[in-house]
Amino acid sequence: MGERDVHEQMRLRQFEQAVLPHMDAAYNLARWLTRNDHDAEDLAQEAYLRAFKFFGGFQGANARSWLLTIVRNTCYTWFRENRAQELTTSFDENIHSTEADPFDPEKLLLQSESGRLLTQALEDLPLEFREVLILRELEGLSYKEIAVIAGIPPGTVMSRLARARTRLKQCLTKRGSQER
């Protein structure tokens, strides 16, 4: 075995140690963004391959955020090629108002008869809102980490989260009243 092969095996081991623990988070983000299991599997795998290709540029900071950034970018590239209409969000003052009360998604989930309503409501959110809500509430990332992943200022993260929560709350309230 040559020196190059040894170096490549070491690189592969380092990559696996840094990235493999975060593959569930990568799939989870891809799944929530695409709303499709098959597409999410394909995109998570593609992101994994891209991450390996560019692992030489990884500075050893936060591997999870680094991988999720690649997943997000891979998904957005896929959206531009396959579902460009989902990349635009119309602005509705009633929906986008930030004056609504904050809520706890876990509490709503426990209060609902099943998680089905919450899942459907999350999937119905526009992509830019769904993305920040999933990264914050399900992946537990900080505003700063989300800002880095999404390539937006932290203030925009906070604004989108507020709007996403408001819209989610409105959707859950509407769906809940329709099912009674």
Side-chain angles (χ1 to χ4, degrees):
M1 185 178 288
E3 187 176 321
R4 181 177 167 97
D5 292 335
V6 170
H7 177 71
E8 195 62 29
Q9 284 187 342
M10 283 178 44
R11 181 175 172 246
L12 179 59
R13 262 185 259 134
Q14 290 172 336
F15 175 77
E16 288 175 344
Q17 288 174 347
V19 174
L20 282 182
H22 309 295
M23 287 307 295
D24 285 344
Y27 170 78
N28 189 42
L29 178 58
R31 170 60 185 89
W32 280 106
L33 292 179
T34 63
R35 298 175 293 195
N36 179 287
D37 292 332
H38 179 71
D39 291 338
E41 288 171 8
D42 289 348
L43 291 168
Q45 183 176 6
E46 184 176 337
Y48 180 82
L49 293 173
R50 286 182 183 186
F52 184 69
K53 179 179 179 181
F54 296 106
F55 189 64
F58 176 62
Q59 302 299 318
N62 185 335
R64 183 175 183 213
S65 291
W66 180 74
L67 178 62
L68 292 178
T69 300
I70 294 171
V71 170
R72 180 203 185 266
N73 292 341
T74 301
C75 288
Y76 272 72
T77 298
W78 181 81
F79 274 114
R80 279 190 290 280
E81 294 170 358
N82 298 285
R83 296 188 200 167
Q85 74 279 2
E86 288 191 44
L87 293 175
T88 58
T89 303
S90 60
F91 189 85
D92 179 335
E93 189 62 43
N94 293 325
I95 293 171
H96 292 95
S97 171
T98 59
E99 295 177 15
D101 295 331
F103 70 98
D104 180 356
E106 290 179 41
K107 187 175 179 183
L108 283 174
L109 181 61
L110 292 173
Q111 289 174 347
S112 68
E113 292 182 16
S114 74
R116 183 182 53 80
L117 285 175
L118 182 58
T119 299
Q120 187 60 52
L122 278 168
E123 288 185 351
D124 287 348
L125 287 175
L127 182 62
E128 66 184 10
F129 295 153
R130 192 169 62 241
E131 170 185 58
V132 294
L133 197 61
I134 296 307
L135 290 172
R136 178 70 181 158
E137 302 299 342
L138 298 182
E139 295 301 328
L141 297 176
S142 70
Y143 295 144
K144 185 178 179 181
E145 290 171 317
I146 296 167
V148 170
I149 290 170
I152 56 177
T156 303
V157 170
M158 291 185 277
S159 173
R160 285 186 185 175
L161 275 170
R163 291 173 179 163
R165 288 174 176 144
T166 299
R167 191 173 238 195
L168 184 63
K169 184 177 182 179
Q170 290 171 343
C171 185
L172 287 171
T173 302
K174 182 179 175 183
R175 287 178 190 273
S177 65
Q178 288 175 348
E179 292 202 1
R180 290 180 196 177

